[in-house]
Amino acid sequence: MVQKIYVTYNQVHKLCQNSAERILDDFKPQLMVAIGGGGYVPARILRSFLKRPGSPNIPIQAIGLSLYESLGSDAVEQPGTKVTRTQWLDLSSLEMANLIGKDILIVDEVDDTRTTLEYAVKELEKDVIEAQKKLGREGEKTRFSIFVLHNKDKAKKGQLPEDVVQGRYLAAQTVGDEWICYPWEATDIDEHDRLSKEQEQK
């Protein structure tokens, strides 16, 4: 039986709030790339806490990557083996040109096997290099950082560049290898919150 952790919207909000100062100080992001669907909500909450007086809101771009696959009748999905792009930035448009020379924060909800994060960093780096060549902007340095709500303390299948792991990676919370139930996945939010409260009281 898989151990489940029920996380509420309030808890997600506070995890983002508590991480914002370090993100501003260490990463100084000028743009966020949210990995859908789990990165959308934290990226939006984070944006409110990353806004500095007199500065514009940090723009959020979205990419869709899918790794999970449902196995039979089990309600708990298992990590798959292949990352599938369901949505990506348009290489020929302003979206990709906007990434060049920026400090970019990639946001997702959970670092489980690290396969999705590895794919996102590698592919975005590759596409930025291609866009730089196309636009003659090879001299501009683009840096990627990562923020996740939860990092699962387990052996990872995916690898991240050493400079990202050492200085540009932040997990708001490190947890064991449990199944995390996020509120945006709940079909009955009251029941979800009740189960979360029940867990806190144990």
Side-chain angles (χ1 to χ4, degrees):
M1 185 72 177
V2 180
Q3 172 73 30
K4 290 183 181 181
I5 300 176
Y6 290 87
V7 178
T8 66
Y9 279 113
N10 273 9
Q11 288 165 341
V12 169
H13 199 93
K14 285 172 181 164
L15 288 172
C16 291
Q17 185 177 11
N18 295 340
S19 303
E21 201 170 317
R22 183 167 158 209
I23 290 169
L24 275 172
D25 290 346
D26 295 0
F27 306 158
K28 299 175 178 56
Q30 297 161 288
L31 182 100
M32 280 190 271
V33 173
I35 300 177
Y40 296 159
V41 177
R44 177 57 194 89
I45 294 169
L46 206 50
R47 190 170 77 166
S48 296
F49 292 113
L50 295 179
K51 183 162 168 48
R52 286 193 156 136
S55 299
N57 271 317
I58 294 172
I60 302 172
Q61 302 276 20
I63 58 174
L65 297 174
S66 177
L67 177 69
Y68 290 89
E69 55 194 16
S70 189
L71 298 183
S73 58
D74 190 354
V76 174
E77 293 181 327
Q78 300 297 328
T81 50
K82 186 175 179 288
V83 177
T84 310
R85 281 190 195 197
T86 54
Q87 179 186 341
W88 200 254
L89 304 177
D90 181 356
L91 264 174
S92 63
S93 77
L94 197 59
E95 283 181 338
M96 198 47 74
N98 278 343
L99 267 63
I100 299 170
K102 295 272 182 25
D103 283 303
I104 298 160
L105 183 66
I106 297 170
V107 180
D108 206 1
E109 86 274 49
V110 64
D111 181 358
D112 186 338
T113 62
R114 201 163 277 177
T115 313
T116 304
L117 286 169
E118 177 189 43
Y119 182 93
V121 173
K122 269 188 183 164
E123 293 297 303
L124 285 168
E125 280 181 340
K126 204 165 73 182
D127 287 353
V128 166
I129 288 164
E130 199 177 310
Q132 283 178 304
K133 282 178 187 162
K134 206 182 280 184
L135 298 166
R137 292 172 61 184
E138 281 98 335
E140 298 177 52
K141 177 94 176 116
T142 305
R143 291 190 329 155
F144 290 97
S145 305
I146 289 169
F147 170 73
V148 291
L149 294 171
H150 297 101
N151 172 38
K152 292 192 185 181
D153 190 10
K154 61 190 270 190
K156 306 293 187 186
K157 290 179 186 166
Q159 298 289 315
L160 291 171
E162 197 57 32
D163 61 329
V164 172
V165 176
Q166 292 307 322
R168 299 206 304 277
Y169 174 95
L170 176 62
Q173 207 170 48
T174 297
V175 296
D177 192 12
E178 297 100 355
W179 186 261
I180 305 169
C181 303
Y182 290 100
W184 46 85
E185 296 163 347
T187 48
D188 183 340
I189 196 66
D190 295 323
E191 174 65 5
H192 180 95
D193 288 354
R194 186 190 69 74
L195 289 165
S196 177
K197 202 167 197 151
E198 209 174 79
Q199 271 178 344
E200 283 176 11
Q201 290 162 354
K202 281 181 183 174

